[in-house]
């Protein structure tokens, strides 16, 4: 991602991130550090001079406060990730759009996949029927034969996969709403890094987190934003596919912004309640329900039931929440180079 942004003049900054914890969370931070050190080099890794795939360091509370003086005295340890950064996401998507169209690809906006079927035996693949909402469309479905179908439909990816699975094998749907708040006020002076608290419930259970914790992030202009919180939503009816079903959940409200204050003040005690203002809201696709252990990204391959279709895969990317955006090029490389390359 850093190489791509530099090559295409996309604004980005390598800020570094601190994951901070109280004394009872020290063991959890140590376990995350151990996992980072144990990561193996991916197949297409081109940074062989780096000593670690993901460099991290355990800091004492005092060492963490040297980087972020506003941290609470009760913070006794932190995990430092120097390679973490931020990117102008709108500019990134515009650049990727140009890449696709510049190499002969076509992006069909305002278009829904309404049905997916295995193709005829003589033509292994998938028949994807789509309907466009554009003014030029007459409302009739178009059909495309796909030799390979990649399902990266975000919140709808699980529903798309379930269309081709037997009822007994369908993947359950879970969604979580997360709100962000902007902040302007005392208690954050001079902060130049992203600051994440250890999510308390996960540390107590020894599990990976369902939530990233209500963390501090910076935008490209240096403005401070806190979030996301977590609010579990009921899964929509599987027949409902339009984005309108999410709209009622996307309204930011002042009460949720202010409710973040207690969690944030545990690691940044100088912040003031009146400095919080509601910002934007997002919805994350989840693969595990509340109370269950965290489920990481899933990238799976499915085929039509007929053995003759084994050469025509459907690859689904499920549960791609944070850090799906910054991992997007690596995910694409894994699908295109590793999975499809191995099949070919």
């Amino acid at each position: 991602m850093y190489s791509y942004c530099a090559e295409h003049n996309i604004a980005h900054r390598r800020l570094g991130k601190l994951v901070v914890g109280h004394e009872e969370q020290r063991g959890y931070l140590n376990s995350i550090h151990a996992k980072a050190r144990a990561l193996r080099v991916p197949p297409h890794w081109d940074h062989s001079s780096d000593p670690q795939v993901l460099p991290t360091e355990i800091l004492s509370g005092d060492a963490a406060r040297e980087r972020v003086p506003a941290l609470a005295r009760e913070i006794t340890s932190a995990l430092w990730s120097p390679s973490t950064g931020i990117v102008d996401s709108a500019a990134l998507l515009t650049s990727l759009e140009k890449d696709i169209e510049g190499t002969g690809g076509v992006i069909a906006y305002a278009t829904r996949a309404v049905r997916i079927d295995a193709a005829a035996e003589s033509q292994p693949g998938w028949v994807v029927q789509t309907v466009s909402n554009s003014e030029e469309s007459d409302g009739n479905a178009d059909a495309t034969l796909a030799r390979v179908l990649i399902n990266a439909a975000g919140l709808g990816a699980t529903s798309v996969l379930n269309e081709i699975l037997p009822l007994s094998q369908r993947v359950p749907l879970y969604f979580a709403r997360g709100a962000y708040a902007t902040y302007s006020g005392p208690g954050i002076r001079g902060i130049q890094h992203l600051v994440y608290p250890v999510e308390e419930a996960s540390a107590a259970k020894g599990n990976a987190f369902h939530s990233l914790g209500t963390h501090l992030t910076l935008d490209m202009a240096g403005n401070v934003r806190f979030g996301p919180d977590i609010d579990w939503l009921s899964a929509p009816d599987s027949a409902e596919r339009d984005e309108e079903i999410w709209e009622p959940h996307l309204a930011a409200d002042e009460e949720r912004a202010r409710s973040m204050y207690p969690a944030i003040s545990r690691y940044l005690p100088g912040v003031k309640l009146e400095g919080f203002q509601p910002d934007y809201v997002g919805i994350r696709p989840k693969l595990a329900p509340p109370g269950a252990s965290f489920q990481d990204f899933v990238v799976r391959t499915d085929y039509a039931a007929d053995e003759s279709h084994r050469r025509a895969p459907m690859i689904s990317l499920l549960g791609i929440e944070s850090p799906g955006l910054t991992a997007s090029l690596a995910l694409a490389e894994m699908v295109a180079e590793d999975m499809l390359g191995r099949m070919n």
Side-chain angles (χ1 to χ4, degrees), residues 10-75:
I10 299 168
H12 64 286
R13 294 172 61 194
R14 191 186 296 252
L15 299 175
K17 171 171 63 180
L18 277 173
V19 185
V20 300
H22 295 77
E23 181 59 33
E24 64 272 18
Q25 297 160 338
R26 184 189 297 269
Y28 183 73
L29 289 172
N30 287 335
S31 71
I32 298 298
H33 177 54
K35 290 180 181 179
R37 292 181 62 87
L39 287 175
R40 294 173 294 178
V41 174
H44 305 283
W45 186 252
D46 58 359
H47 304 283
S48 56
S49 60
D50 293 351
Q52 289 179 249
V53 174
L54 176 61
T56 58
E57 180 183 356
I58 292 291
L59 303 179
S60 67
D62 289 339
R65 278 181 287 275
E66 290 180 7
R67 297 183 183 274
V68 180
L71 284 176
R73 298 303 304 178
E74 291 79 11
I75 296 298

Side-chain angles (χ1 to χ4, degrees), residues 25-322:
Q25 297 160 338
R26 184 189 297 269
Y28 183 73
L29 289 172
N30 287 335
S31 71
I32 298 298
H33 177 54
K35 290 180 181 179
R37 292 181 62 87
L39 287 175
R40 294 173 294 178
V41 174
H44 305 283
W45 186 252
D46 58 359
H47 304 283
S48 56
S49 60
D50 293 351
Q52 289 179 249
V53 174
L54 176 61
T56 58
E57 180 183 356
I58 292 291
L59 303 179
S60 67
D62 289 339
R65 278 181 287 275
E66 290 180 7
R67 297 183 183 274
V68 180
L71 284 176
R73 298 303 304 178
E74 291 79 11
I75 296 298
T76 60
S77 61
L79 181 76
W80 169 241
S81 172
S83 63
T84 297
I86 59 175
V87 61
D88 182 339
S89 56
L92 172 64
L93 293 176
T94 298
S95 179
L96 293 173
E97 177 187 48
K98 291 178 179 177
D99 288 348
I100 293 169
E101 295 177 336
T103 53
V106 176
I107 303 175
Y109 290 109
T111 300
R112 295 180 297 126
V114 294
R115 180 166 176 154
I116 300 170
D117 295 288
E121 184 175 340
S122 58
Q123 292 184 311
W126 302 93
V127 176
V128 183
Q129 297 185 43
T130 58
V131 172
S132 173
N133 295 336
S134 66
E135 294 180 359
E136 295 80 10
S137 173
D138 57 7
N140 294 323
D142 294 314
T144 301
L145 174 64
R147 301 297 189 189
V148 174
L149 181 59
I150 299 174
N151 166 25
L155 293 176
T158 305
S159 294
V160 171
L161 173 62
N162 284 343
E163 287 288 327
I164 70 162
L165 295 179
L167 187 61
S168 62
Q169 298 178 20
R170 290 182 180 175
V171 180
L173 305 171
Y174 307 102
F175 301 97
R177 178 183 189 268
Y180 282 83
T182 57
Y183 180 78
S184 178
I188 57 170
R189 184 176 179 180
I191 291 182
Q192 299 295 319
H193 309 298
L194 309 184
V195 184
Y196 286 52
V198 172
E199 206 271 317
E200 294 183 18
S202 63
K205 295 178 183 178
N207 294 327
F209 36 76
H210 268 296
S211 169
L212 297 172
T214 308
H215 61 262
L216 179 150
T217 188
L218 300 164
D219 63 19
M220 296 305 302
N223 300 312
V224 169
R225 181 181 289 114
F226 287 102
D229 59 2
I230 186 167
D231 179 26
W232 289 91
L233 302 176
S234 299
D237 188 291
S238 60
E240 297 180 293
R241 286 285 191 80
D242 295 337
E243 56 271 13
E244 285 81 1
I245 65 175
W246 301 113
E247 286 186 2
H249 303 291
L250 294 177
D253 65 81
E254 190 168 343
E255 181 179 348
R256 292 197 70 87
R258 294 166 66 88
S259 69
M260 298 179 186
Y261 171 74
I264 295 165
S265 63
R266 290 202 71 217
Y267 66 96
L268 291 173
V271 298
K272 300 297 182 182
L273 181 61
E274 56 269 21
F276 290 85
Q277 295 295 325
D279 196 14
Y280 68 90
V281 175
I283 298 172
R284 307 194 291 279
K286 295 286 192 179
L287 294 178
S293 297
F294 174 77
Q295 172 66 64
D296 206 350
F297 297 174
V298 168
V299 182
R300 58 179 280 174
T301 304
D302 291 271
Y303 302 90
D306 192 323
E307 191 65 26
S308 66
H309 290 77
R310 299 293 292 182
R311 292 183 289 109
M314 174 175 173
I315 298 175
S316 296
L317 291 84
L318 308 178
I320 310 296
E321 49 176 317
S322 183

